[in-house]
Amino acid sequence: MRVGLEQFGSGLNSFQLLTHFDASFLKMDRAFMEDLGSNAEHQKRLRETADKARQSGKQTIAEYVQDAGSMSVLFSAGIDYAQGNFLAGAGLEMDYDFQ
């Protein structure tokens, strides 16, 4: 079974949690997404967190993706998965492929 942690990256040392809990997925804190396309500090912290997650063998998820500028930053930062209204609105049906 694979599990994930939500609201990751906004704490003082979020990676310290991983010494106590082996998560496969790290869902970036929504605060990173605020003005991501134009906020250099959020971009820097997102990149640093994504790099460290990748080095630790964790996959990353960004939520609340609302615009192309944010998607571009996420792509260049190496975020593994994205979700939000820019990609698709919320719907009743979900297509899961758990392997």
Side-chain angles (χ1 to χ4, degrees):
M1 176 190 303
R2 299 183 332 166
V3 296
L5 291 174
E6 287 192 338
Q7 300 176 346
F8 194 83
S10 63
L12 292 175
N13 189 357
S14 296
F15 282 92
Q16 187 176 20
L17 284 171
L18 298 177
T19 62
H20 304 288
F21 186 79
D22 186 26
S24 300
F25 298 96
L26 306 177
K27 192 171 194 179
M28 300 292 128
D29 193 292
R30 181 181 275 200
F32 286 125
M33 298 310 298
E34 295 174 17
D35 302 319
L36 183 62
S38 61
N39 188 319
E41 181 60 29
H42 286 184
Q43 292 175 16
K44 178 182 178 220
R45 294 218 29 226
L46 183 81
R47 288 179 202 281
E48 289 171 350
T49 304
D51 287 343
K52 195 166 183 177
R54 197 170 22 264
Q55 292 168 7
S56 300
K58 311 298 181 194
Q59 291 186 305
T60 51
I61 304 168
E63 66 176 335
Y64 203 66
V65 179
Q66 300 298 319
D67 56 70
S70 296
M71 194 67 211
S72 177
V73 172
L74 296 173
F75 180 75
S76 68
I79 297 294
D80 297 296
Y81 300 98
Q83 55 186 172
N85 289 331
F86 176 71
L87 303 164
L92 295 175
E93 295 183 19
M94 299 293 289
D95 182 20
Y96 294 103
D97 183 17
F98 293 110
Q99 295 180 8

